Amino acid sequence: MIIGLGSVGLYLLDYLVGLSNPRLHLVVVGRNRNKMVQDVNIVRTAATIRGCLRSRIDIEGNCDLEQVESISGTIKKYSPDFIVNSSRVYSGLKYGSISWQHLRAYGIWTPLSVRYAKNIMEAYEQANSQAITINTSYSDAVIPWLKSAGKAYFDFGSGNLNHLLPRMKFYVGERLGINNLNEIDITLAASHFHDVVVSKEGHAEGQRLLLDIKYSGKTCDLPQEEILNACRIPMPVDQKRNMMNASSNFNLIYSVLKAIGSHTKIKVHSPGVCGEIGGYPYIIDGSGNVVTSYFDTSVFSMDAMREANRKSIYLDGIKDVVNGNLYYTPELIEKVRKVFSLVLPGQVNFETLDDVDSLLIDKIIMPNK
């Protein structure tokens, strides 16, 4: 089940259809049925031209993401094995296009990012769903916030780390003459901030990343500064960028299925996984009689990764997420005051986040979108 058929959801739908699997039943869920019918029709038509349309696709185009009961009824109707939340309060608007050039921080948008996520997970509980859940928007803080508030929370987050790994592989492969980039094994622990600053500017803002790169079991001894600088490659700034996030979602789904089907261990990188702040390497282990999953601590300890992620997300404007409260950094609060003439609260409680949503929408998004 894909909830939200914007560009991320549409790319993901196309990638999943491309598996040409007749056992795969895809359900797309959203609020605009007419648009969704058009989008599904173009995916179905293109897949048929390629000769790979073998999956069933259903459309639920009248699901109100503001209403838990509406979402719950949809989940009950289909009992999905996977639920991917790719919805956004403002479809087609990249919040970072407003904030990055002024604030160099994305964490300000966390209350908006959690808005539909909390409704979906409450509906998930109401429906007694057992689906594996994946969240798309700012999972570094959204999933930990849900967990800290005692709410149901997503299993995985997508994006961020996965956008950096290919760029690093491009450089390492070219530098060391490696043709098969899949043979390059990267382990990285960092938050959304470093995905953005490394990919845009080619540096880590003065921090040393927890980064390990191996080939054929041996560490690739390349200067981290060179690797990060090489990540600054020309990329589109429009919705085509969402190919990366959709691919991250696809990778999570496919990795789970592959680990189970081939009885192997597969490493993924995921922000917010298990409700942890920031992004981590994570193992899906299908090698035994029972499928398990756990953090990859073969290179870096959990303590080291937690510390690195807290330092990383601090630069994104998040001081902490604890006991149902999100704490903005003093630096972000001051930047917002200067740039947008808005005084953010230092603490946002999960139960009253709608008030901050209204501030962000009325004072920042509406005047700048």
Side-chain angles (χ1 to χ4, degrees):
M1 177 175 287
I2 302 171
I3 301 179
L5 200 63
S7 55
V8 172
L10 188 62
Y11 284 129
L12 176 60
L13 177 66
D14 189 43
Y15 300 158
L16 290 169
V17 168
L19 291 173
S20 194
N21 188 340
R23 297 178 60 194
L24 187 62
H25 177 196
L26 300 162
V27 182
V28 294
V29 178
R31 51 196 161 188
N32 187 336
R33 182 174 180 83
N34 290 336
K35 176 184 179 299
M36 294 175 71
V37 168
Q38 293 178 34
D39 288 345
V40 168
N41 280 342
I42 194 68
V43 168
R44 293 175 70 245
T45 302
T48 302
I49 293 170
R50 301 195 306 270
C52 64
L53 181 64
R54 303 198 62 199
S55 303
R56 173 182 167 187
I57 306 174
D58 281 326
I59 301 171
E60 284 289 325
N62 297 301
C63 182
D64 186 351
L65 299 184
E66 299 282 0
Q67 300 296 324
V68 172
E69 292 74 16
S70 179
I71 307 168
S72 176
T74 302
I75 294 173
K76 286 179 181 177
K77 180 177 178 180
Y78 291 98
S79 298
D81 297 300
F82 289 86
I83 297 174
V84 179
N85 171 34
S86 63
S87 65
R88 297 176 71 85
V89 175
Y90 277 89
S91 180
L93 174 66
K94 290 186 72 65
Y95 305 141
S97 65
I98 297 174
S99 62
W100 182 259
Q101 59 183 328
H102 300 296
L103 308 176
R104 291 175 61 78
Y106 193 92
I108 183 177
W109 307 113
T110 312
L112 276 179
S113 296
V114 83
R115 181 166 167 176
Y116 288 164
K118 68 183 179 65
N119 290 349
I120 289 167
M121 290 313 298
E122 186 175 340
Y124 173 92
E125 277 198 315
Q126 281 191 9
N128 294 315
S129 178
Q130 298 298 310
I132 294 171
T133 51
I134 303 171
N135 183 61
T136 296
S137 183
Y138 205 57
S139 296
D140 304 73
V142 164
I143 300 178
W145 200 2
L146 287 166
K147 183 178 182 179
S148 79
K151 308 296 183 181
Y153 56 94
F154 293 84
D155 298 301
F156 296 100
S158 72
N160 303 355
L161 295 170
N162 295 290
H163 302 172
L164 280 182
L165 303 187
R167 299 164 190 254
M168 294 176 175
K169 289 183 177 183
F170 297 156
Y171 176 72
V172 173
E174 181 178 352
R175 181 74 184 275
L176 301 182
I178 301 170
N179 293 322
N180 186 354
L181 300 184
N182 293 321
E183 295 177 351
I184 301 172
D185 178 25
I186 298 180
T187 302
L188 175 64
S191 82
H192 175 275
F193 176 85
H194 278 105
D195 163 49
V196 178
V197 77
V198 172
S199 61
K200 282 182 176 290
E201 301 175 14
H203 62 85
E205 199 78 357
Q207 292 188 4
R208 181 78 179 174
L209 294 187
L210 288 189
L211 171 64
D212 180 79
I213 302 178
K214 289 185 172 65
Y215 176 66
S216 296
K218 297 181 180 179
T219 298
C220 298
D221 188 18
L222 296 172
Q224 186 173 121
E225 293 75 15
E226 283 186 18
I227 297 169
L228 301 187
N229 186 59
C231 290
R232 187 179 52 180
I233 61 176
M235 296 283 271
V237 296
D238 59 12
Q239 291 186 352
K240 290 190 290 290
R241 289 181 58 86
N242 285 330
M243 287 183 184
M244 294 186 295
N245 208 326
S247 296
S248 177
N249 279 291
F250 176 86
N251 175 252
L252 287 167
I253 295 168
Y254 189 72
S255 294
V256 171
L257 297 177
K258 185 177 179 181
I260 295 171
S262 61
H263 304 290
T264 55
K265 296 180 184 179
I266 297 180
K267 179 171 68 178
V268 297
H269 283 81
S270 174
V273 62
C274 297
E276 292 284 345
I277 293 172
Y280 298 80
Y282 196 74
I283 302 294
I284 302 164
D285 189 348
S287 62
N289 294 326
V290 178
V291 179
T292 59
S293 62
Y294 43 87
F295 289 93
D296 182 356
T297 56
S298 62
V299 180
F300 306 114
S301 70
M302 278 303 298
D303 286 344
M305 291 193 289
R306 284 174 174 146
E307 181 182 2
N309 270 295
R310 286 184 175 275
K311 289 180 178 178
S312 177
I313 206 168
Y314 190 95
L315 296 176
D316 225 15
I318 303 296
K319 181 179 180 181
D320 206 354
V321 182
V322 63
N323 297 328
N325 295 304
L326 176 85
Y327 295 89
Y328 288 127
T329 64
E331 292 87 345
L332 177 64
I333 293 171
E334 180 61 15
K335 287 178 184 178
V336 171
R337 185 189 67 80
K338 287 183 177 179
V339 174
F340 297 113
S341 300
L342 172 64
V343 179
L344 281 177
Q347 171 184 328
V348 185
N349 185 267
F350 188 85
E351 301 300 333
T352 59
L353 62 86
D354 288 348
D355 295 337
V356 180
D357 276 356
S358 298
L359 278 177
L360 296 174
I361 293 168
D362 296 341
K363 302 298 183 181
I364 300 181
I365 289 181
M366 296 306 292
N368 292 282
K369 72 173 184 174

